[in-house]
Amino acid sequence: MHKNAEPEETSETIRIVAFGPISEYIDRAFLPESLPNASKKVARIGLGAEHAVFLFVGMEVAVCGRNQKGQLGLPIKDIDRENTYYGLALVEYEVFKENRLNIVDVAAGANHTMFLVEPHSLDPNFEGEQRQVYVTGDKNMLGSFKSKDRGGPILVELDRLAQNPELKIKFIYAANEKCIVMDTGNGMTIWGRNFEGFIEREPVLFCEFKHSIRRIAVGIRHGLAIDENERLYVWGDGTYGEVGEEIDKHPTSADTPIKVAYFDNKDIKVHSISAGGRHSIIVDTNGKMYSFGDNSTGQLGTIELRQYHPHVIDTEFEAMAVFSGLTHNIVKTKDGRLFRWGGDGKFKNTNKHGASFMKYIDELKGKKTSNIQTA
């Protein structure tokens, strides 16, 4: 086990504040002292069930949490307790160093981490070669039947890009037991557990969108996307209403992405999306929030157990962005406040009618926040 000493705190100190299981390893952790001053800003966070990977603006990486499946990209130790890392520890991956690759993005699912890398170049006119994806952790997420969880990032072969060299990787996404790559041809490639609940050990093309996709959010068996025109798409299992559509008062599912009639018919443009395990939260361009899906822990802000079509969440603020865990949500308002609702334990806030209400996160009162991530 490893634990960093805490430096003296000042008004300029940047800290990582965590709630839930990951807080055991990271709550109120300071940035590593050896991190260069120019890099003391988090560019991206990959958050799994019990591990976290931080990418800084200088492309340095720090990790913490559990590594029993190699999800931190470190060698798996024979003694299980030695696979746990407390605080934030800077790491350097040999495979990237040897191949002169820069990490430009990270994403994490339950027990795996994805790395988006590109060749290092000092030439300012360098246009960039093909980006690549590496994965570490759970063997089902490594993109090959031959791969085993051994600790350390493994290159994933993407046949669609190999067969279409004009296509490039646009962004990566990870959630639960899924790995997703969006390319410049509007194609979504997925491996791990698919939207029908089965394991796909090798990457497969799930769909091609008609328009460029700006953002996606994925739950256990459903997904959401926003295109370049701020239109919302949904797909997957709608048993709990997480797809936001119903026929004759019965929930419907969608094998491929469809537009939600409620938003399409009213010409509502979407700014932010999030997907919980079985629920969906939407923020439109005017700051209004909507919810649909499972409400068993009050995550929708309604008294209904399930919501099969979008429900407007009544708030006294304008929302800017929303983030969902398995059964809880966090919203950041346009004036910078943070509220939480739904979930179990600390996140369960229920009134006498059974409907969830939002609670201000006063632990962060007066603090400037950025890079919010849920798992």
Side-chain angles (χ1 to χ4, degrees), residues 27-44:
D27 188 30
R28 287 172 168 74
F30 292 87
L31 301 188
E33 289 185 331
S34 56
L35 189 69
N37 287 331
S39 297
K40 289 185 176 179
K41 183 178 180 182
V42 178
R44 205 71 156 171

Side-chain angles (χ1 to χ4, degrees), residues 309-363:
H309 55 82
H311 161 82
V312 177
I313 302 176
D314 187 23
T315 65
E316 44 77 33
F317 56 76
E318 291 185 0
M320 182 176 72
V322 65
F323 314 87
S324 294
L326 188 67
T327 59
H328 75 279
N329 312 291
I330 293 176
V331 62
K332 186 172 185 177
T333 67
K334 289 186 177 181
D335 59 10
R337 290 177 293 165
L338 293 176
F339 292 85
R340 65 185 181 220
W341 75 101
D344 297 316
K346 191 170 186 177
F347 285 96
K348 191 172 185 178
N349 305 296
T350 307
N351 64 24
K352 63 182 180 180
H353 300 294
S356 171
F357 64 90
M358 296 183 188
K359 183 177 180 181
Y360 179 58
I361 303 180
D362 48 22
E363 293 97 327

Side-chain angles (χ1 to χ4, degrees), residues 82-116:
E82 294 184 357
N83 288 310
T84 301
Y85 297 79
Y86 294 92
L88 289 179
L90 284 175
V91 296
E92 188 174 36
Y93 300 106
E94 285 300 318
V95 65
F96 300 145
K97 182 178 180 181
E98 292 173 0
N99 292 285
R100 294 177 57 79
L101 298 172
N102 289 333
I103 302 173
V104 295
D105 199 4
V106 297
N111 292 302
H112 68 284
T113 302
M114 301 176 70
F115 299 91
L116 180 60

Side-chain angles (χ1 to χ4, degrees), residues 8-212:
E8 182 179 352
E9 187 171 2
T10 70
S11 60
E12 300 298 320
T13 301
I14 299 175
R15 294 194 307 180
I16 310 298
V17 179
F19 303 93
I22 195 65
S23 64
E24 178 182 350
Y25 314 102
I26 196 176
D27 188 30
R28 287 172 168 74
F30 292 87
L31 301 188
E33 289 185 331
S34 56
L35 189 69
N37 287 331
S39 297
K40 289 185 176 179
K41 183 178 180 182
V42 178
R44 205 71 156 171
I45 303 172
L47 183 60
E50 291 187 86
H51 80 285
V53 178
F54 291 78
L55 176 65
F56 297 96
V57 293
M59 297 185 183
E60 297 89 353
V61 173
V63 301
C64 71
R66 299 279 288 137
N67 188 58
Q68 81 279 17
K69 291 182 177 292
Q71 58 264 53
L72 295 179
L74 303 175
I76 301 174
K77 307 287 183 63
D78 293 332
I79 302 176
D80 188 62
R81 66 175 180 271
E82 294 184 357
N83 288 310
T84 301
Y85 297 79
Y86 294 92
L88 289 179
L90 284 175
V91 296
E92 188 174 36
Y93 300 106
E94 285 300 318
V95 65
F96 300 145
K97 182 178 180 181
E98 292 173 0
N99 292 285
R100 294 177 57 79
L101 298 172
N102 289 333
I103 302 173
V104 295
D105 199 4
V106 297
N111 292 302
H112 68 284
T113 302
M114 301 176 70
F115 299 91
L116 180 60
V117 301
E118 64 183 16
H120 171 72
S121 176
L122 298 177
D123 183 356
N125 298 315
F126 177 68
E127 295 183 356
E129 298 177 27
Q130 177 64 274
R131 288 179 167 184
Q132 296 176 310
V133 175
Y134 283 73
V135 181
T136 186
D138 185 342
K139 64 181 181 182
N140 290 326
M141 307 298 118
L142 301 181
S144 172
F145 284 100
K146 300 177 182 179
S147 299
K148 298 181 180 180
D149 46 348
R150 56 176 177 78
I154 296 173
L155 175 64
V156 177
E157 300 292 342
L158 299 171
D159 290 344
R160 174 175 164 83
L161 301 187
Q163 296 166 7
N164 301 277
E166 74 280 4
L167 298 180
K168 307 296 180 184
I169 297 174
K170 189 174 181 181
F171 62 83
I172 59 174
Y173 184 93
N176 304 306
E177 297 177 281
K178 294 178 177 62
C179 293
I180 296 175
V181 170
M182 286 297 305
D183 63 49
T184 53
N186 305 327
M188 177 189 289
T189 297
I190 180 173
W191 65 98
R193 193 170 298 278
N194 63 25
F195 295 105
E196 295 179 348
F198 302 107
I199 292 292
E200 297 275 5
R201 292 286 296 273
E202 295 183 336
V204 295
L205 179 66
F206 173 68
C207 70
E208 285 186 352
F209 290 89
K210 292 182 179 179
H211 299 281
S212 178

Side-chain angles (χ1 to χ4, degrees), residues 159-289:
D159 290 344
R160 174 175 164 83
L161 301 187
Q163 296 166 7
N164 301 277
E166 74 280 4
L167 298 180
K168 307 296 180 184
I169 297 174
K170 189 174 181 181
F171 62 83
I172 59 174
Y173 184 93
N176 304 306
E177 297 177 281
K178 294 178 177 62
C179 293
I180 296 175
V181 170
M182 286 297 305
D183 63 49
T184 53
N186 305 327
M188 177 189 289
T189 297
I190 180 173
W191 65 98
R193 193 170 298 278
N194 63 25
F195 295 105
E196 295 179 348
F198 302 107
I199 292 292
E200 297 275 5
R201 292 286 296 273
E202 295 183 336
V204 295
L205 179 66
F206 173 68
C207 70
E208 285 186 352
F209 290 89
K210 292 182 179 179
H211 299 281
S212 178
I213 296 301
R214 182 163 58 88
R215 184 174 302 164
I216 65 172
V218 171
I220 294 176
R221 292 183 61 181
H222 78 289
L224 312 168
I226 306 174
D227 71 13
E228 59 190 343
N229 300 313
E230 300 175 316
R231 300 301 181 184
L232 174 68
Y233 297 83
V234 297
W235 65 90
D237 181 20
T239 301
Y240 292 77
E242 54 267 63
V243 171
E245 292 284 351
E246 62 180 354
I247 299 176
D248 296 329
K249 296 185 178 181
H250 294 287
T252 186
S253 299
D255 294 333
T256 58
I258 60 172
K259 290 183 179 180
V260 180
Y262 180 93
F263 296 96
D264 204 37
N265 294 342
K266 295 186 177 185
D267 197 31
I268 297 173
K269 293 187 175 182
V270 175
H271 174 70
S272 178
I273 54 176
S274 66
R278 289 288 194 173
H279 74 280
S280 305
I281 307 291
I282 312 297
V283 176
D284 70 18
T285 52
N286 293 317
K288 184 181 292 186
M289 288 199 300

